[in-house]
Amino acid sequence: MIRIHVLEEKAFVWNSSDAQRIREEHRIVGTLVGALARKPQQNARLGLPLQLLPEETRLLAEKGVATLLKNLTLQPLADDAGQDPLFLEAVAAYEKEQEESYQEQLRLAGEQRKALMGTLAERIAEGRAKKRQRRGEEANPLSEPADLEPRFVFPREAMMVQLPTERTQRGQEEEVDWRLPSKEWPYSGQPEHEMRYRVFQNLWERGYYITSGSKFGGDFLVYPGDPMRFHAHFIALCMPRDAPLSLCDIISVGRLGSNVKKTVLLCSVDEDGTVAYTSLQWSGMQ
C-alpha cells in the first residue's frame, strides 16, 4: 500500500519506491519539492518528497492502492518537553551520531590532505629554499612532508550532515478518510474539487498523463505520454457547464494556446457526471 502523508492540506510521498511505483504503474507524475542534501540552495534539481495534486491523491486512494496518513507527533513541544527522559535520550543519541560523523569526516579529510601535501612536498620545499636564498640564509635539506604542512583544521561548519527523507522508525500515525472533509483534507464535497476530479479522472482513464497547468494559466497539462519524453498537447481549463464565458476570455485562452503551440480544452461536467470537452485552436496553427 502506497503511503501518502497529508500536512496542511497538501499530500506528500516520502518513500522513493512508492514515488517510482506511482509513476510507472499508475501514470501519476506529481512534483518533486525537496532540496538536495548536497546542494540545498539551488532549485534547478529537486528531490523527495513528491507532492501530489488533490486529484492525483484522490485517484490513488479511490483505486485502493494508497492510504492517506497524518502524523500525530508533529505537534508543538510543551514547555516541559526538555525534561522528558525520552526526549533527552533522543537528543543525546543524535549528538553522539553527529560527533561520530564529524570524527569520521575529520579522519578522511586529514588523509586526503596528507596525500595531497605528499604530492606537492618537493615543490613546496624548493620554493622555500629559493626564498631562503633570496634572503641570504643557508640552504637546508628538503623538509619532510609532515614538516611542510601546518596543523590541519577541519571546522565543524564544513561537516556534511545527512538529511533523511524518511523516518527510520514510524511515529504515531492516523489514517485520514479522504471521503470526509477534515482539517487535513478539506476537499471532499467541494464543487470545484469535484469538477476538477471528474475531468482529471476522465483524462487519466483515456491514457493521458496529467500534471498541474498553473504555469500555462490552466488547471491541467495533458500529455500523450510520460512528460519526460513528450510535450503537453492540451491545456485543460475546468469550468461549470452553464458558466458564462465572454468573448475576451475565449480570445485570451485561444491566444495562450497558440503561443505555446497547445490546444486549449474547455472542460465541464454534466449533472450525470459526463465530461464534455470544447477545444479551442487558432485556425492558422499547424
Side-chain angles (χ1 to χ4, degrees):
M1 183 70 70
I2 297 172
R3 301 167 61 83
I4 301 178
H5 299 264
V6 294
L7 177 64
E8 297 183 357
E9 305 178 9
K10 297 181 176 62
F12 302 95
V13 176
W14 288 90
N15 185 278
S16 59
S17 298
D18 287 344
Q20 181 179 359
R21 180 184 170 191
I22 285 172
R23 191 180 190 110
E24 293 180 351
E25 297 182 12
H26 304 290
R27 288 185 285 107
I28 298 297
V29 179
T31 304
L32 292 172
V33 295
L36 299 181
R38 291 181 179 270
K39 297 181 179 179
Q41 296 182 350
Q42 58 82 42
N43 58 3
R45 296 179 180 275
L46 299 176
L48 293 175
L50 180 74
Q51 182 176 348
L52 302 179
L53 296 172
E55 294 75 24
E56 293 175 322
T57 305
R58 177 174 171 179
L59 180 68
L60 292 172
E62 201 170 78
K63 286 171 60 65
V65 299
T67 180
L68 275 62
L69 302 168
K70 67 176 180 179
N71 197 315
L72 300 180
T73 61
L74 296 178
Q75 304 294 336
L77 293 176
D79 296 335
D80 59 347
Q83 305 301 324
D84 186 354
L86 295 178
F87 178 79
L88 295 176
E89 182 180 351
V91 171
Y94 174 79
E95 292 177 347
K96 179 181 178 182
E97 181 180 353
Q98 291 295 96
E99 179 61 26
E100 292 176 351
S101 176
Y102 172 75
Q103 294 298 331
E104 178 69 11
Q105 294 183 47
L106 175 63
R107 180 184 64 81
L108 294 175
E111 293 177 356
Q112 184 178 11
R113 173 75 175 181
K114 184 176 180 180
L116 176 62
M117 295 300 296
T119 60
L120 301 176
E122 186 175 348
R123 295 177 57 184
I124 294 175
E126 290 177 354
R128 291 182 177 180
K130 292 180 180 179
K131 289 182 179 179
R132 286 194 294 268
Q133 290 178 359
R134 286 196 296 267
R135 293 195 297 263
E137 300 176 0
E138 295 182 0
N140 295 328
L142 293 178
S143 302
E144 294 295 330
D147 299 333
L148 297 175
E149 180 185 0
R151 185 175 181 274
F152 177 68
V153 177
F154 183 71
R156 288 185 178 271
E157 293 78 8
M159 180 181 69
M160 291 190 297
V161 179
Q162 182 180 6
L163 300 179
T165 59
E166 188 176 19
R167 292 175 180 267
T168 55
Q169 296 180 352
R170 295 178 182 174
Q172 294 182 345
E173 296 175 335
E174 181 179 294
E175 187 171 350
V176 177
D177 190 351
W178 59 270
R179 302 174 185 85
L180 301 176
S182 62
K183 180 180 179 181
E184 294 78 15
W185 196 253
Y187 305 103
S188 301
Q190 292 184 1
E192 182 179 357
H193 170 71
E194 295 297 330
M195 175 183 62
R196 285 170 53 95
Y197 177 70
R198 294 305 171 193
V199 173
F200 181 93
Q201 181 187 39
N202 187 268
L203 291 171
W204 183 86
E205 290 176 346
R206 293 170 180 260
Y208 292 106
Y209 283 74
I210 307 105
T211 67
S212 172
S214 58
K215 63 181 178 181
F216 286 104
D219 291 296
F220 303 115
L221 288 178
V222 185
Y223 296 80
D226 194 301
M228 295 293 291
R229 301 177 56 194
F230 296 90
H231 290 287
H233 284 189
F234 306 101
I235 303 174
L237 283 80
C238 303
M239 57 187 60
R241 185 171 182 80
D242 298 329
L245 186 62
S246 67
L247 181 60
C248 290
D249 291 336
I250 295 177
I251 295 175
S252 298
V253 296
R255 188 174 292 275
L256 168 65
S258 66
N259 287 341
V260 295
K261 297 182 179 180
K262 303 183 192 313
T263 299
V264 176
L265 291 179
L266 303 181
C267 313
S268 58
V269 182
D270 294 334
E271 294 182 357
D272 60 355
T274 304
V275 181
Y277 300 99
T278 301
S279 62
L280 296 179
Q281 191 176 50
W282 242 237
S283 59
M285 177 180 171
Q286 301 295 330

